[in-house]
Amino acid sequence: MYKIALAQAVFRNEDFSSNHTKMESMVKESKQHHPDTRLIVFPELSATGYFLSPRLKELAQEKEGVIFQKMREIAHQYDIWIVYGYVEKDLKGNIYNAIQMVDPEGNLAANYRKIHLTPLEKELFTPGSELVTVKTELGIIGLMICWDLAFPELSRKLALKGTDLLVAPSAWEVPYDTPFKLFGAARAIDNTVFVAACNHVGTSEELSFFGKSSIYGPDGKIIASSRNDQEDLIVADIEYDWRNELKTTFYTMLKERRIDLY
């Protein structure tokens, strides 16, 4: 069993310096109030702010750019796993809506490019094409971003790769709070896994974010959640003994799939 935290907050557009300061502050707060926290998750594009404009291209960095260098310092200083969103560019000039997972030693454990882009995101980003799981001392963690939660095929593929916890940094806007919560619960119960979905709050250009970041148990029920649209730190225990018990009792869907038919 270990603790994870979701850092629901306002992140300023085009201002990594401010966002970096806020992320470090929330990591520090998490470790002060919950010293056994092993993983903290920030929202989608938290390093840059979430907005959909060609200006994002100017913020894009390679995987081990300045943003990563700063975030690895935080992870190492506070001895914690960190997941955060940023704009990635590759050597061909393509840009991606991406997240990075940094280990407590400051190493880049994984980089995931969002596979399912929203219609407006398709005008800016290249879609990702690789499923990403990370084997850690915390279990196997599968990486997703926001709208990915709406596609059960992706979470099932990650579950079949052994995922224990699905992490989904998000930028879900008003008025879509109901599907945000339903998709998170469905992906958890579909696969008998924990799901951690961390959302923005505040406004960004024409978008308003409602928060409601949540951690779901493998039975699909919320075990910790922010109930409002304010900055918040949501903390919960991830208990695999409970999950394993569920998998051998009523929640046996993965084992009983009809792979001869589908």
Side-chain angles (χ1 to χ4, degrees), residues 220-240:
K221 296 179 181 178
I222 292 175
I223 56 178
S225 179
S226 175
R227 299 178 181 177
N228 54 42
D229 60 356
Q230 304 300 309
E231 294 197 343
D232 199 2
L233 196 63
I234 301 97
V235 179
D237 290 323
I238 301 299
E239 188 175 349
Y240 290 138

Side-chain angles (χ1 to χ4, degrees), residues 237-255:
D237 290 323
I238 301 299
E239 188 175 349
Y240 290 138
D241 286 346
W242 173 42
R243 175 180 178 240
N244 291 334
E245 181 182 348
L246 290 177
K247 287 169 62 178
T248 59
T249 54
F250 180 74
Y251 297 88
T252 57
M253 295 84 75
L254 284 183
K255 183 173 64 176

Side-chain angles (χ1 to χ4, degrees), residues 2 4 8 19 24 28 38-40 56 63 85 110 114 127-128 132 140 181 183 190 195 210 218 241 255:
Y2 63 93
I4 67 170
Q8 175 177 288
N19 296 336
E24 182 171 14
K28 182 178 180 180
R38 299 301 303 135
L39 166 68
I40 187 166
L56 276 173
K63 286 190 291 187
K114 189 175 183 179
V132 176
I140 299 178
K181 293 187 292 183
F183 286 142
D190 280 348
V195 172
F210 52 75
D241 286 346
K255 183 173 64 176

Side-chain angles (χ1 to χ4, degrees), residues 20 40 45 51-52 68 92 114 152 161 164 204 206:
H20 170 264
I40 187 166
L45 298 185
F51 64 103
L52 299 178
F68 167 69
K92 297 180 180 180
K114 189 175 183 179
K161 290 168 71 72
D164 300 298
S204 172
E206 74 281 4

Side-chain angles (χ1 to χ4, degrees), residues 24-70:
E24 182 171 14
S25 175
M26 296 188 83
V27 169
K28 182 178 180 180
E29 177 186 353
S30 176
K31 294 295 283 188
Q32 284 180 338
H33 296 287
H34 307 279
D36 51 349
T37 301
R38 299 301 303 135
L39 166 68
I40 187 166
V41 181
F42 292 93
E44 178 180 12
L45 298 185
S46 48
T48 58
Y50 184 93
F51 64 103
L52 299 178
S53 161
R55 302 194 312 276
L56 276 173
K57 296 180 180 180
E58 301 172 10
L59 304 175
Q61 298 189 4
E62 295 181 3
K63 286 190 291 187
E64 297 189 5
V66 173
I67 289 176
F68 167 69
Q69 299 301 329
K70 293 292 186 180

Side-chain angles (χ1 to χ4, degrees), residues 10 23 27 43 115 178 190 194-195 208 244 259:
V10 176
M23 287 191 276
V27 169
I115 289 175
T178 296
D190 280 348
F194 289 90
V195 172
S208 295
N244 291 334
I259 57 176

Side-chain angles (χ1 to χ4, degrees), residues 58-132:
E58 301 172 10
L59 304 175
Q61 298 189 4
E62 295 181 3
K63 286 190 291 187
E64 297 189 5
V66 173
I67 289 176
F68 167 69
Q69 299 301 329
K70 293 292 186 180
M71 296 306 296
R72 72 183 299 184
E73 292 175 3
I74 298 175
H76 187 228
Q77 178 180 351
Y78 292 95
D79 187 32
I80 193 170
W81 290 85
I82 298 178
V83 176
Y84 63 93
Y86 78 116
V87 184
E88 179 196 356
K89 67 178 177 182
D90 65 15
L91 296 177
K92 297 180 180 180
N94 299 313
I95 69 167
Y96 303 88
N97 183 338
I99 57 176
Q100 292 192 319
M101 186 170 186
V102 184
D103 74 17
E105 298 297 319
N107 301 309
L108 179 57
N111 188 88
Y112 168 69
R113 297 166 173 172
K114 189 175 183 179
I115 289 175
H116 300 100
L117 301 175
T118 66
L120 291 177
E121 289 175 341
K122 290 177 182 178
E123 298 177 9
L124 297 168
F125 299 112
T126 298
S129 58
E130 294 183 13
L131 280 66
V132 176

